[in-house]
């Protein structure tokens, strides 16, 4: 009975098929869709659009919160329906189209997309496609498992298509906190001073006359593909816990630390799990994505409150949490990603930010996005919003990749997303490098001795020795700086061919 | 009659010679000194300290606001008195010591130093040496031509040495606005919503019992070494004005634009001068350093108000402005650099940030600090605070350096301080590249065609062609990515040796 979920009865007549709804989207349009890390994404209208694109050759600019599930990016990419995509993605097929230069991908800090739209430096938004759990009597939208950029997309779009998802629990109502900063030059401070502050409305207030179509669906969110903790991610978590314990013992933090942020993915999830058996307590999170670990920490009595922009869970956890959402609701809030990732709030709260590095260099510059400096993986996401403005910016990575053929620590990062200015602590399963207050020549020693895998340590020591003989604040041998990446291109491995590579 | 300037009479007995005052500084101490871009720096105690260091071999960690004048950094470096220096410097002798690995230089975002001290991730501050125009009846300090990090240094230091500078006009009293964010987790929003908001006190309130010594000086601030606008910097200014006019005509901004920030140096100064003959009016600044151009814009009736952290002027301008400071005072405020550069305020106000690039690459990554990827020039300063959080991040550079032997635009930046995510507009005398909403493959074409000097355009077009054939979101030929820098190391020039270099 979907009509129960449309409080404004005049909208009942707007219910159409996905195909009919998708007809509002024309070739060349800029479309904003809900969805943040596989949660709360528009699921059926984009599929109908892809079908039409295959038939008619249509192309759009697609903006979302972050990555999508439900094979939406895959299907649209296969249908060649995307000319431009932003601000984040994580789909292998779309990734290939991006790397082939077919889709123009704009890799943005997740807090910034709506600022560019609001100031009309990008846009206009022609159509917004927003998944909702319900529409209230005023026509306002109630989002589902993510907020992402949905509120601003809906507020700015000429037309709105609502995907009313009957599988999403009505208990989600009240979970969201929709706050949109006022327009400059009259913008006021964002009044969040604690992670659990609620500052906005529980709905996205829109003019219902802009709702062009409503589609009813029963498609579930895709579940997360996070790996369970393994030996190495547990070691990484252990190093972080030890470090934070030392910070506490030095009087720099209390036993509830500061609000935690953790990026998406298996390593960050494992690191959060590491807090379960620690002696920290009364923790809070001010993060983007709430993963399994968030709820495990709550169940373990460690986590008081979590603020995020989406809930992305494994299949079992998904079933349990969404069926018992009322149990967690008083300790959760979902915010627009502009607010979850806002520099103002992150700096004020003094977040501990834990994000994953794809590679790092011996000076602590971090590449989060580009394989061998050229091929896009997913995107920078919120890592920059958090790392730059946090009290403590931690990056984690396993020291090796591809069975040891790749060292995650290289002489010079082949692409830089986070500069050495923004990286406080680097952790691998080998150990932790506390880079705070250190100069590059000090950072390199610490990173090599503490974080690099033993099979690559000698080669990096040799590189540093040769580079320092040439001088400079950040010594490099330019002819060898990218040679490790070239070795992968040429022979599939960074492993030294002779006992010492850097001769 | 310096006693007029010490309102708290019990402090009169603290007046000593610079040599005596410097005795409070011991080997191994962490010392915070006033000074931001040659303005308001401690001038005589550091000189006495250098003398002692030459004799006794003492070494300290020196923190300041930003760069110093009066040859302080030079003299301390020559005396081998510095083991560590942060967060910025601009002295050739110190630079050589840094690049030789003798002084450990910690290159920080200027807004962040005091956060690290306050949370005890760096420090403690043993001694603060602060230039003051006066000390009031309560013992509070009144800074001179800069605030920088002085307030937090003074609040945190075990001992304070005051350099009472009689050449600094008493009319400076009331110019400053000292606001220190409260400690986390009880930190409140910073209540600045317009550049002219005053939110703090006009003095630095300290416990006068911590004043260990007062030194009386009559040394003038060093004047700025900014070059007057030349043909190329005028062309850069012209491109920016044209662009902003188009933004206004597109309805994205009004004729007063948004608050302006301009980095230090000749190009940024010239760019600001470009507004004098424009049709923009009622401008405001929310910047770090107020240079000659700030006062020229005020005198021309273009600029309503300027907020900064220091005033650094040419000799003539210095005489005129400081002798007539009361004329400007109602339209000026000097803030702690933490506040002038605060992400929260910069994002809220929607600053237009104009900073100088040392080099940029074809994808819009910017190097602000490292010559040929290794040798430190000055430091990142506030450019990251502003570029990341601004509404519009503009980077300016002449397209050529060293008489044409160096192209400021290269295939791959040899060091990255500002990632492509944070660079909206790149301008050289050749033209402007509007990079907003574009993917790397689009950015490269625009930058090459609009910004690169004609003598390097073909070589970069060839590079892009070869790189794109290899694929990737950000195409590169790794074996050639740094070859332009290697050519400078090997033969002093990036100029193609054959008609086409990238074969």
């Amino acid at each position: 009975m979907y009509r129960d979920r449309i409080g404004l009865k005049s909208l009942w007549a707007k219910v159409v098929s996905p195909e009919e709804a998708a007809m509002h989207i024309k070739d060349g349009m800029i479309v904003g869709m809900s969805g943040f890390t596989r949660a709360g994404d528009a699921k059926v209208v984009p599929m109908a659009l892809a079908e039409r694109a295959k038939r008619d050759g249509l192309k759009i600019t697609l903006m979302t919160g972050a990555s999508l599930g439900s094979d939406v990016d895959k299907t649209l990419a296969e249908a060649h329906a995307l000319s431009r995509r932003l601000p984040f993605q994580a789909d292998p097929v779309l990734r290939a189209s991006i790397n082939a230069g077919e889709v123009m991908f704009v890799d943005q800090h997740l807090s910034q997309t709506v600022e560019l739209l609001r100031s009309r430096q990008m846009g206009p938004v022609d159509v917004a496609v927003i998944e909702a759990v319900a529409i209230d009597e005023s026509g306002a939208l109630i989002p589902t498992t993510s907020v992402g950029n949905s509120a601003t997309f809906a507020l700015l779009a000429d037309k709105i298509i609502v995907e009313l998802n009957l599988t999403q629990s009505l208990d989600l109502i009240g979970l969201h906190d929709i706050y949109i900063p006022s327009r400059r030059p009259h913008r006021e401070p964002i009044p969040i001073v604690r992670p659990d502050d609620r500052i906005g409305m529980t709905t996205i207030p829109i003019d219902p006359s802009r709702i062009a179509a409503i589609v009813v669906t029963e498609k579930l969110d895709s579940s997360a593909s996070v790996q369970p903790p393994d030996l190495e991610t547990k070691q990484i978590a252990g190093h972080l816990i030890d470090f934070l314990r030392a910070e506490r013992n030095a009087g720099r933090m209390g036993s509830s630390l500061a609000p935690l942020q953790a990026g998406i993915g298996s390593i960050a999830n494992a690191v959060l799990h590491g807090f379960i058996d620690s002696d920290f307590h009364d923790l809070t999170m001010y993060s983007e994505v709430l993963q399994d670990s968030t709820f495990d920490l709550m169940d373990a009595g460690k986590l008081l409150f979590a603020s995020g922009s989406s809930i992305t869970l494994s299949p079992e956890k998904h079933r349990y949490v969404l069926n018992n959402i009322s149990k967690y609701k008083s300790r959760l809030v979902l915010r627009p990603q502009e607010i979850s990732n806002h520099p103002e709030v992150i700096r004020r709260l003094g977040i501990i930010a834990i994000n994953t590095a794809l590679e790092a260099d011996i000076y602590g510059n971090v590449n989060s996005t580009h394989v061998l400096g050229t091929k896009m993986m997913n995107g920078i996401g919120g890592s920059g919003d958090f790392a730059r403005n946090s009290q403590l910016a931690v990056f984690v990575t396993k020291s090796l990749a591809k069975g040891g053929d790749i060292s995650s620590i290289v002489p010079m990062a082949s692409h830089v997303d986070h500069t050495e200015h923004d990286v406080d602590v680097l952790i691998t399963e080998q150990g932790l490098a506390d880079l705070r207050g250190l100069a590059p020549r000090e950072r390199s020693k610490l990173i090599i001795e503490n974080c690099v895998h033993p099979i690559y340590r000698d080669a990096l020591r040799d590189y540093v020795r040769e580079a320092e003989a040439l001088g400079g604040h950040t010594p490099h041998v330019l002819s060898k700086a990218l040679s490790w990446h070239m070795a992968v291109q040429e022979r599939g491995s960074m492993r030294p061919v002779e006992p010492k590579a850097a001769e």
Side-chain angles (χ1 to χ4, degrees), chain A residues 236-246 271 274-275 278-280:
Chain A
I236 291 171
H239 298 314
L240 178 63
I241 300 289
D242 288 346
F243 169 79
L244 291 174
R245 204 174 277 134
V271 166
F275 283 98
S278 76
D279 53 352
F280 295 108

Side-chain angles (χ1 to χ4, degrees), chain A residues 136-201:
Chain A
D136 77 8
E137 323 70 56
S138 74
L141 308 181
I142 299 156
T144 60
T145 42
S146 73
V147 178
N149 287 323
S150 298
T152 295
F153 289 163
L155 288 167
L156 294 180
D158 283 342
K159 290 185 179 181
I160 303 166
I161 299 170
V162 180
E163 288 200 7
L164 197 66
N165 192 323
L166 305 185
T167 68
Q168 296 276 21
S169 165
L170 288 169
D171 284 337
L172 290 169
I173 297 173
L175 183 64
H176 314 92
D177 186 53
I178 309 297
Y179 175 92
I180 307 288
S182 44
R183 296 220 177 199
R184 300 174 184 128
H186 306 291
R187 190 177 287 186
E188 297 289 326
I190 298 169
I192 294 174
V193 297
R194 295 160 45 115
D196 58 355
D197 279 335
R198 286 185 160 273
I199 61 171
M201 308 173 64

Side-chain angles (χ1 to χ4, degrees), chain A residues 235-268:
Chain A
Q235 288 172 326
I236 291 171
H239 298 314
L240 178 63
I241 300 289
D242 288 346
F243 169 79
L244 291 174
R245 204 174 277 134
E247 289 293 292
R248 180 190 60 191
N249 295 346
R252 294 192 194 107
M253 292 183 180
S255 281
S256 357
L257 298 171
L260 300 169
Q261 175 263 340
I264 189 148
S266 306
I267 304 185

